Amino acid sequence: MSLRLRLFLILALATGAIWFSAVIWIEHSTRAQVTRVLDARLAEAARMVSSLLEDRRIAMAGDGAPVAIPLDPHGDYAHQLSCQIWSLQGTLVGQSEGAPQVQLTGAQGTGYSQSTVGGETWRVYTVENPALGVRVMVGDSLGVRDRLVSGVIEGLLLPMALILPLLAAALWVSLGRGLAPMHRLAEALRLRSPSDLSPLPAGPVPAEMRPMRGALDDLFARLAKAREAERDFTAFAAHELKTPLAGLRTQAQIARIAPDEATRSRALQSIERSVDRTDRLVRQLLELSAVEREGAAAERVDLGQLSAEICADLAPLAETRGVALICDIPQGSEQTLPASGFLLHTALRNLVENALQASSEGGKVRISRRGAVLLVEDDGPGIPETLRARACERFVRGTRGGDGSGLGLAIARAAMERLGGGLELPPSAGQGQRAELHLPAA
């Protein structure tokens, strides 16, 4: 359902409900007014007839036949009134033309009453005149009153029935004009090139659309930034892959034309290092991609077991570099916490691998825990202060870059951010560097 049709239906239903409520209120109010006015007219007519009897302007026949009672001829309503004059002994002594032949009401005394005569309900006002020994009754049928009220309501509903289609058309056209800025915005977005991430053109915008316009501009800015980062990442990755591949080609050529076994052995060792570097770079690129897709679904992770697995995986690298790899986190239930095992494993492994690459032969790399913080410490040269602010950016290497790709810290930070934690690299007082993985709260 379109927004225009939805708004139209809402406004149409609301308008109809208001009009229907107004009709009910007018019907109730009109009925009350009609009852009050016509009751007053009944009382006025009954008192008038009683007054005329007292003034002997209406003479009662002596032969006992009911006399004809004239009522006020002014107005159509006078023709709907019926008048009867009964003696206190219960004899009909006078009546108006068209009045029922039976007594209008059996109520005693002066006042209003209702009765049913001939299957029809009547509203009657009685004036009792003891001096003349008569009761004057003037009444009208409630059906007459209902017809009066119905006439008023019909007078309202007929114009309403004629106006409703015009109102609906006006609502439809007005909504179309009111939603025109939204349609113009949609058309501008439809015609925009996929590569155009510039802000929307400036111009007058309705207040209700300003938040949406601002959100779109913010989205375009974030998409442009993400696209730029993706281009930079692709360029850096291509450059980093090109360097070892070029080395591989050169060393392969050297090995092929080597004049002696020693030269060929050195070339093959260089090829092996280039392959290892390329393998690590590809693995880290895949890890970075996986980290950015991975959800932070929690599971029970044993930090001691996780650290032991990482130490076992990196033991060959530690042995090759002549570095002691120490794990100070015991295994056990008291070392478990809810976290994503993949993200935590990726972050910790990259920190340990970076620490091994940065450590000199004979150095130490230690994994420990302090409350909700995992620590990875090495005794290498540390991160220079000039690079500390950018150390976690992609492809940023330290002064001892060596075979590193500059992705380890970036992967660790991205993994911890997905976990809801963080990575900190505090300055070291002397030799070495400490990396802190701040775990998320349980």
Side-chain angles (χ1 to χ4, degrees):
M1 181 183 296
S2 67
L3 180 60
R4 183 181 186 183
L5 179 58
R6 180 176 298 183
L7 289 174
F8 173 78
L9 292 177
I10 291 173
L11 290 174
L13 290 175
T15 303
I18 292 173
W19 278 25
F20 182 71
S21 301
V23 168
I24 293 177
W25 179 79
I26 291 173
E27 191 273 343
H28 179 76
S29 175
T30 302
R31 187 174 298 278
Q33 292 285 349
V34 166
T35 299
R36 185 163 54 251
V37 171
L38 296 188
D39 279 357
R41 190 69 185 277
L42 288 179
E44 178 185 353
R47 293 190 185 101
M48 179 191 70
V49 172
S50 178
S51 176
L52 292 175
L53 288 173
E54 288 180 351
D55 295 342
R56 299 187 182 280
R57 296 172 63 181
I58 295 178
M60 289 177 288
D63 57 2
V67 297
I69 307 297
L71 294 176
D72 183 7
H74 301 294
D76 293 338
Y77 179 66
H79 299 292
Q80 309 296 334
L81 296 180
S82 295
C83 178
Q84 292 178 341
I85 302 174
W86 292 83
S87 67
L88 296 181
Q89 289 75 30
T91 303
L92 179 64
V93 296
Q95 66 178 1
S96 63
E97 182 181 357
Q101 296 301 314
V102 297
Q103 192 172 359
L104 286 175
T105 181
Q108 304 294 319
T110 299
Y112 293 100
S113 61
Q114 283 188 196
S115 62
T116 301
V117 178
E120 191 174 8
T121 304
W122 286 71
R123 178 76 167 169
V124 181
Y125 186 81
T126 303
V127 174
E128 191 169 290
N129 193 329
L132 297 177
V134 296
R135 290 190 184 91
V136 178
M137 304 176 184
V138 178
D140 63 357
S141 171
L142 292 185
V144 174
R145 300 188 178 196
D146 292 338
R147 287 193 294 273
L148 289 174
V149 175
S150 298
V152 173
I153 299 303
E154 288 175 3
L156 289 173
L157 292 179
L158 182 59
M160 186 184 301
L162 296 176
I163 291 174
L164 274 177
L166 299 178
L167 178 61
L171 281 175
W172 185 257
V173 173
S174 300
L175 286 173
R177 295 179 63 86
L179 295 174
M182 185 177 297
H183 293 306
R184 287 195 294 268
L185 176 61
E187 184 66 15
L189 292 174
R190 187 181 67 82
L191 297 176
R192 176 176 283 236
S193 169
S195 60
D196 184 6
L197 295 177
S198 60
L200 294 170
V205 179
E208 293 79 7
M209 289 183 59
R210 287 172 192 163
M212 180 173 64
R213 185 187 180 97
L216 285 173
D217 286 341
D218 180 63
L219 176 62
F220 289 152
R222 286 187 281 119
L223 284 175
K225 186 176 180 180
R227 178 176 290 183
E228 182 179 359
E230 183 180 353
R231 284 197 298 263
D232 292 344
F233 177 77
T234 304
F236 280 127
H239 175 74
E240 292 298 322
L241 285 171
K242 181 180 179 180
T243 301
L245 290 176
L248 277 172
R249 179 183 179 86
T250 301
Q251 296 300 324
Q253 291 173 345
I254 292 174
R256 186 178 59 186
I257 63 174
D260 52 55
E261 188 62 30
T263 303
R264 183 179 295 106
S265 178
R266 286 195 299 271
L268 291 176
Q269 287 177 357
S270 297
I271 290 174
E272 186 177 358
R273 285 197 301 271
S274 295
V275 170
D276 290 342
R277 179 181 177 186
T278 305
D279 177 71
R280 184 182 181 218
L281 175 60
V282 171
R283 176 177 55 79
Q284 288 186 319
L285 289 174
L286 293 175
E287 280 185 350
L288 184 58
S289 176
V291 163
E292 292 177 345
R293 295 194 310 267
E294 179 73 15
E299 57 187 87
R300 300 303 300 186
V301 178
D302 187 331
L303 298 180
Q305 181 180 352
L306 180 69
S307 303
E309 291 175 357
I310 292 174
C311 288
D313 290 343
L314 297 178
L317 176 61
E319 184 177 353
T320 301
R321 299 193 62 85
V323 178
L325 183 55
I326 305 170
C327 178
D328 283 344
I329 304 178
Q331 298 185 32
S333 59
E334 65 275 5
Q335 301 295 337
T336 62
L337 54 77
S340 168
F342 170 77
L343 293 175
L344 194 54
H345 182 279
T346 301
L348 186 58
R349 178 192 170 96
N350 277 276
L351 287 184
V352 174
E353 193 171 1
N354 267 25
L356 291 173
Q357 294 284 355
S359 298
S360 303
E361 187 175 356
K364 295 180 181 179
V365 173
R366 184 183 303 275
I367 307 174
S368 60
R369 179 184 182 186
R370 188 177 63 205
V373 180
L374 287 178
L375 306 175
V376 178
E377 300 169 282
D378 63 63
D379 53 6
I383 300 175
E385 289 301 321
T386 55
L387 290 178
R388 189 173 299 278
R390 301 176 54 242
C392 291
E393 295 181 8
R394 298 173 181 180
F395 302 107
V396 174
R397 294 193 185 93
T399 55
R400 291 174 53 89
D403 293 334
S405 61
L407 286 175
L409 294 179
I411 294 173
R413 182 180 66 174
M416 293 308 296
E417 287 177 351
R418 296 287 288 178
L419 271 175
L423 168 63
E424 291 187 7
L425 303 170
S428 55
Q431 185 77 359
Q433 176 64 49
R434 183 175 78 250
E436 300 179 355
L437 292 179
H438 291 259
L439 305 174

